[in-house]
Structures are given as structure tokens and as C-alpha cells.
Amino acid sequence: MPELPDVEYFRIYLDATSLHKTIDTVDVRAPRILEEVTEAQLRSVLAGRSFQSTRRHGKYVCVEIDAGAEKWLVMHFGMTGRLAYFKDIGDDPKHGRLLIGFENGYFLAFVNQRKFGHIAVAGSPEAFAEAKGLGPDALSIGREDFVARLGKRRGSAKTTLMNQKVLAGIGNIYADEILFQTGVHPKTPVNALDEDMRERLHSVMEDVLHTAIAVMRRHEDFPESFLIPQRHEGGVCPLDGTPLETLELSGRKAYFCPEHQSHEGT
DNA sequence: AGTACCACCTGACGGC
DNA sequence: TGCCGTCAGGTGGTAC
């Protein structure tokens, strides 16, 4: 699930549930999700502290632990995941991999069925993004920077949009949506797109991400003009009902409209 | 630089 | 009902 809009929703959810509450307990149920931090270290970083604020960079949620302490909890959800805030420990969600207990008796769970997610501790969101080599966040990057970062890349439009080192936050679903709305075929090499088309990609990307955040990732709530509700076997182009086609790019499935997404991207 | 392929995990779903 | 292959919105490493 989690691409930028989903992760933004998790961030807002954490803000609404878990700020400014003293942390009592830290229960790591799947140690393999911890990245370069031990369970004991995580516990000592969190116990007795409280979450102060949140940030998001691409698909990562960063949570500030105490003000000005230069300690941030960083979460990535992999392909499956969410946060769950609940009161009774008997109601703990299935696949809760990290449970943080607060003094008010409530818990925040990092839910991650496939364990592809990660939990890390960093000095700051910027330091973490730098260490990971992440590009700028897809919702923060300006038009000129976006156009410049696409540069003269020869890779396909889709894999480039999904490359977290180019820009952070776009995954398989939203890459398909952005390319559909700009009329660009997923395999079009980036260096075949003229400047106008790159600028359009940027503005469509912003619109798509903002819309997705607004509908809180419920596919059925997307506008009918979007590809996403049709992104399944038998789906058709929302413009004129042309059956969608699929292709594989590095093992990821791309859905696209053969009528409205030309190779040239013009 | 770009792409393909595998690995990491778990569960849902369709076919037989 | 049960088994099996396939697929799922991510990322990192390797090999070419």
C-alpha cells in the first residue's frame, strides 16, 4: 500500500493520536524490522520520552523524540503496513511488529504484515534522507528542480519516477496514474520528453498526490477521471473505455491506456 | 547508467 | 476441503 499519500495519512494519524504522551513500554515483536538499532537501544531512546512532531520524506515517516534532542524515529512501511492506535492490549492488531505503550494506557502499533518495513533512529530527517541517498520529497520539490533532476536520464519515465534517489515518494500505483494523466507511455525514455512535458509531469504529479491525500487512499473515492479505480484486470480507460493494457518493467506491473499514452509522450 | 532478476516475508485468491 | 502457483502499492544487492 504505502506510497507518499498513504504515508502522509499515517503521519497525520500519528499526529492525531500519539503526540506528547510519555512512553512507558516498547515491545519489538519482529526484531528484523529494526535497522541499525538494537531493541535495547530503541527502548532507551524511547522510554520516558514523548513524540513531539512529525515529518515525512517520501515514503518515510519521521517522528521527533523530545524537542531538540536530535533523535528521530524513522518508519518505512514496505509493501504492507499502517499505524494503529488502540487501548486494550487484547485488541492489538494482527502483524503488529512494534508496539509503543503510553502512560495513558493506549498503544501505537507499527503494523507490517510482510515485514518489508523498517524502523530506524536518526539524528534528523535530513540526515536520514542524506544517508539513504533519497532525492527531494515529491511534494516539496519545485518545478525547476524537478525538471533539472530528470536531467538527461535515459531510463524509462516510469522507473525514473519511481526512483527514490531522483525524487522520493512515488511508487508503482501513482507512477501509473501520473503517466496516464500526462499521456506518457511508461517506457518513454525521460530524455525524449521535452521541457513542456516535464513541467506537465510535475504539475500532474502534484495534483495526483494532493487528490490522493484528500481521498485518504480509498480507491473508490478517486475521481472517475483517474486511472487508479480501473487499475485491475478488465479495467478500461476512464476517457473512452479503451481496455487498459499492462506491461512489466523490472518486475513491476504497469497499467496504461494504449490510446492515450503515446511512446513519444507528446 | 539502465535493466533484469532474486531475495526478503505473509496472505489472498483462483484453479484443479 | 486442500494443495499449489501466482500475485501484491518496496527496496537492496548482484550481474550484465
Side-chain angles (χ1 to χ4, degrees), chain A residues 12 23 27-28 51 77 98 124 141 168 198 244:
Chain A
I12 292 167
I23 296 167
D27 181 8
V28 179
F51 296 139
F77 295 87
L98 168 66
S124 71
I141 188 172
R198 295 181 199 195
L244 297 181

Side-chain angles (χ1 to χ4, degrees), chain A residues 168-189:
Chain A
I170 307 296
N172 201 26
I173 296 284
Y174 291 101
D176 278 358
E177 185 66 51
I178 292 161
L179 293 172
F180 169 71
Q181 292 195 23
T182 44
V184 173
H185 188 284
K187 279 190 170 172
T188 308

Side-chain angles (χ1 to χ4, degrees), chain A residues 205-262:
Chain A
M205 174 179 78
E206 290 194 325
D207 287 349
V208 165
L209 295 177
H210 284 304
T211 300
I213 291 167
V215 301
M216 290 304 183
R217 82 191 204 275
R218 289 166 51 85
H219 287 189
E220 57 273 27
D221 290 345
F222 277 97
E224 287 183 13
S225 59
F226 273 52
L227 177 79
I228 285 174
Q230 294 293 327
R231 202 181 173 285
H232 54 77
E233 186 80 26
V236 300
C237 175
L239 296 174
D240 65 0
T242 300
L244 297 181
E245 292 184 5
T246 63
L247 58 81
E248 291 239 339
L249 279 173
S250 301
R252 310 302 302 280
K253 183 172 277 195
Y255 284 79
F256 68 102
C257 172
E259 285 298 316
H260 297 100
Q261 291 174 258
S262 67

